[in-house]
Amino acid sequence: MGILANTVSVCHFKVQGEIPQQQDLHDFVTKQLAANRFNPIDQGSEEISVGWAHLDDPRVSDFDSPAACCREHYFMFTLRRDKRSVPSAVLKAHLEKAQEEFLAENPGMTKVPKQKREDLKEAVRGMLLSQTLPTPATYDAVWDTKSGILTFSSLSPKVIELFEEQFKKTFEGLRVSAFHPYARAESVLDDEYKALLQQANKAGGDNYLELIKENQWLGADFMLWLMYQTMNESSEYTVNQPGVLLAKEGFVAYLDDRVVLLGSGENGAQKITVAGPQDHFNEVRSALLNKKQITEATLHMESGDDHYKLTLKGELFHFASFKSPAVKLEKDSTVDEAMEREAVFFERMLLLEKGNQLFDSVFAAFLELRLGNQWAEQAEAIQKWLNVCSFCNRPLE
């Protein structure tokens, strides 16, 4: 189901470059997707094929009109990669057989010459590939042209790199850049706080890798603050970012279930995972006092009857296992399949936008405190809380 599933892992990109006007953009995107469409390799022996397919049905890759990839202000397409592979043990067994047959046909030789071995290996591998069905893999992408944000349904570094390369190759003049914590912070702050964010920026330039590496404090401090809020405050927030939900609408956000910490140990980097419902976070707090930092945490957000849950990856702000409310549609015999798919898509986009709006509102609330004059007082309160056991009121070690 990919991005249309109720639970999906996603990362976000900002689309950058010289983007054509809306009507020209529809024609441009459709034409480029068609030119770089996925081509099946089921009937051949090619090892790999990569290209674009329909999000609704990745078996289809004909982009003959904007309707194939466009719904209102969204572009939607799927990166499909089919790959054949031959297990090394199978290749070895067939190669040994081919070498034995060659020596039998050439009794004057005691061993197969090096070049002939290479030729036999390629021939055997080609033969085995032609007898192997390719394994398909699909990854969905939805580009919201209003916000400029593209949502992609994979967190694998190799798949993300493949997507970035394929996007740049397909849409000449455009590229996607990671919507990392610093970029996301810039997007949720007003001009006053943007200036304060620039002052707090620890990167020496605009290189996105440096912005990520030098500003990991954004994710670490955000999740530490969320943990403190979860245990000591009401965990109640209000919507402060534009979107589907009304401004100042109340909601709840809190950490629970799973926290991952990372720090230096005697034998190098040490990773600690604390899983299960957390009443006091004592194990996490003890690790924090030992110079560990939170790198992942499960975040819950509740707005009315809607419950969102995700594992936040602090370094890049990837949303792992992002679970949103189920899509609820009333079906009847008069609704055709195409209309039903369209309704599911729009309902799913609505739910994802709500979840992003809630997350951005919590993040903005943190940033205004973190960048403002009250952070020193807040940091002191957090440190004091970290040092005291919730059960016995004794210092944690």
Side-chain angles (χ1 to χ4, degrees), residues 86-96 124 128:
V86 178
S88 58
V90 174
L91 177 60
K92 181 180 179 182
H94 281 78
L95 180 58
E96 287 176 353
V124 168
L128 292 173

Side-chain angles (χ1 to χ4, degrees), residues 222 225-231 233-238 250-256 298-303 306-308 310 355 358-363 365:
F222 178 45
W225 175 77
L226 274 172
M227 187 177 68
Y228 175 80
Q229 290 287 104
T230 299
M231 297 306 302
E233 304 294 339
S234 63
S235 295
E236 295 180 355
Y237 304 88
T238 57
F251 67 97
V252 174
Y254 56 92
L255 296 186
D256 200 6
T298 300
L299 173 64
H300 297 255
M301 300 178 294
E302 299 175 5
S303 174
D306 292 340
H307 183 187
Y308 293 84
L310 62 95
L358 294 174
F359 178 84
D360 286 343
S361 293
V362 179
F363 189 41

